[in-house]
Amino acid sequence: MLRRILLLVPIALVVGTVAFLLLHVIPGDPAAVMLGPEATPEQVAALRERMGLDEPLAVQYPRWLARLARLDLGTSIFLDKPVTEAIRERVGPTVQLALYALLIAVAVGVPAGVVAALHQDRLLDRALMLFAISGTAIADFFLAILLILLFSVTLRWLPSGGYVEFSVDPVGHFQSMLLPAMALGLSIAGLPARLVRSTLLEVLREDYIRTATAKGLDLEAVAFRHALRNALLPAVTVLGYALGDLLGGAVVVETVFGLPGMGQLVVNSIARRDFPVIQGVVMVFAGIYLLCNLLVDVLYVYLDPRVRYAGG
């Protein structure tokens, strides 16, 4: 486990280096954006020099690495505040959205996969798999628009946008987060549904399951008590990787619903070429993704003791 933790450092370094190089290669000058179209070339050059943007990448990159080693993500060019402070102000709605979406994906996908496996090749099985494939095929931003049209415009049950903090109004908070979480969660619910179905069917063909059913035990009881735990192993791994997709999808869904999360921060920073904020958000997303994968490894050991024995 210690070796896996140490491996996270070079992976995060590669992600940060790629993000740093890409941001400095793509067209766009933060100094020109800050001063506006009426600024003279001399004014733009003076501001670039003051911000250190005129220095070569061979100078900027080691400086950025040194700050990163101290967990200092720099200062936002436009917000005039530390990047860590800007991210801390926006990270709450994004993490809440990703967790709610993951809960919806598990709550919908896992039972759907179990029911489909227990009714293999029947009408219910085909209907659930059609739902799973459809959810995976639909883009989350398009699903978000469909949900707004149904629940906000037609039925008027839920708000079409905005954000309410949980500490201010818990009911209003869940009402404001339900549609964004459904748009994200339903788009990946098909993944665990298909995976649980196929894995559970394989486990139900094992000898110990046949023995249990031969003794007269009910198939559904055997599936829930003995087979489901083994069938969830691949789903746990996939859901850990899917959390990275949820964070990426949250950037788009937050824009659709007007949530003040990291998605809007990224979009505004890209438009303003605010390099320190973009690099900081990329590093935070990469860190969350890597930690989630580490958590998946820990859960895998808990769910399958053979992994712990193999690792010594």
Side-chain angles (χ1 to χ4, degrees), residues 3-23:
R3 186 167 60 89
R4 293 186 179 182
I5 295 175
L6 294 177
L7 281 175
L8 300 181
V9 177
I11 294 174
L13 184 61
V14 169
V15 172
T17 301
V18 171
F20 178 88
L21 294 176
L22 286 177
L23 288 173

Side-chain angles (χ1 to χ4, degrees), residues 74-87 89 277:
T75 302
S76 169
I77 296 174
F78 285 84
L79 301 177
D80 195 24
K81 63 173 67 172
V83 173
T84 51
E85 182 180 342
I87 292 176
E89 293 173 353
V277 175

Side-chain angles (χ1 to χ4, degrees), residues 82-301:
V83 173
T84 51
E85 182 180 342
I87 292 176
R88 187 173 62 249
E89 293 173 353
R90 299 294 192 99
V91 72
T94 301
V95 172
Q96 290 168 355
L97 176 58
L99 291 179
Y100 295 157
L102 188 63
L103 287 176
I104 289 177
V106 173
V108 174
V110 173
V114 173
V115 173
L118 295 177
H119 298 79
Q120 185 185 11
D121 296 333
R122 299 178 186 173
L123 180 60
L124 184 57
D125 176 26
R126 299 183 188 281
L128 289 172
M129 287 304 100
L130 178 63
F131 164 77
I133 296 173
S134 301
T136 306
I138 297 177
D140 44 23
F141 73 89
F142 183 67
L143 183 58
I145 295 173
L146 294 180
L147 291 173
I148 290 174
L149 290 175
L150 176 60
F151 292 102
S152 300
V153 178
T154 305
L155 300 176
R156 299 180 183 277
W157 288 354
L158 295 169
S160 60
Y163 173 73
V164 179
E165 293 188 7
F166 180 84
S167 58
V168 175
D169 182 4
V171 177
H173 171 77
F174 287 114
Q175 286 179 335
S176 66
M177 297 295 287
L178 184 55
L179 288 185
M182 287 175 63
L184 266 183
L186 293 179
S187 64
I188 68 165
L191 200 58
R194 289 183 298 161
L195 202 56
V196 168
R197 176 188 179 275
S198 61
T199 310
L200 187 58
L201 286 175
E202 292 180 5
V203 175
L204 289 176
R205 298 189 186 100
E206 296 287 339
D207 291 339
Y208 71 96
I209 298 295
R210 294 179 179 175
T211 303
T213 54
K215 289 182 177 179
L217 295 178
D218 182 69
L219 178 60
E220 295 184 359
V222 172
F224 282 104
R225 292 179 183 176
H226 304 287
L228 184 57
R229 179 170 177 172
N230 293 330
L232 286 179
L233 289 175
V236 170
T237 305
V238 170
L239 287 174
Y241 295 135
L243 187 59
D245 296 334
L246 288 177
L247 291 173
V251 173
V252 179
V253 173
E254 283 177 6
T255 304
V256 174
F257 288 95
L259 296 179
M262 292 175 68
Q264 282 195 355
L265 181 65
V266 170
V267 172
N268 294 334
S269 299
I270 291 175
R272 297 180 300 207
R273 304 294 191 272
D274 197 341
F275 296 156
V277 175
I278 302 172
Q279 290 168 180
V281 172
V282 169
M283 293 308 299
V284 170
F285 274 11
I288 294 174
Y289 188 76
L290 292 175
L291 288 177
C292 288
N293 280 275
L294 182 64
L295 180 62
V296 167
D297 291 341
V298 174
L299 286 175
Y300 216 101
V301 171

Side-chain angles (χ1 to χ4, degrees), residues 41-75:
E42 291 76 14
Q43 291 174 320
V44 173
L47 184 58
R48 284 179 56 82
E49 182 179 0
R50 185 157 58 87
M51 293 191 300
L53 297 175
D54 60 330
E55 295 176 338
L57 292 182
V59 176
Q60 296 185 46
Y61 179 65
R63 184 187 303 158
W64 176 74
L65 278 182
R67 287 202 306 264
L68 187 63
R70 301 191 300 271
L71 299 181
D72 179 6
L73 299 178
T75 302

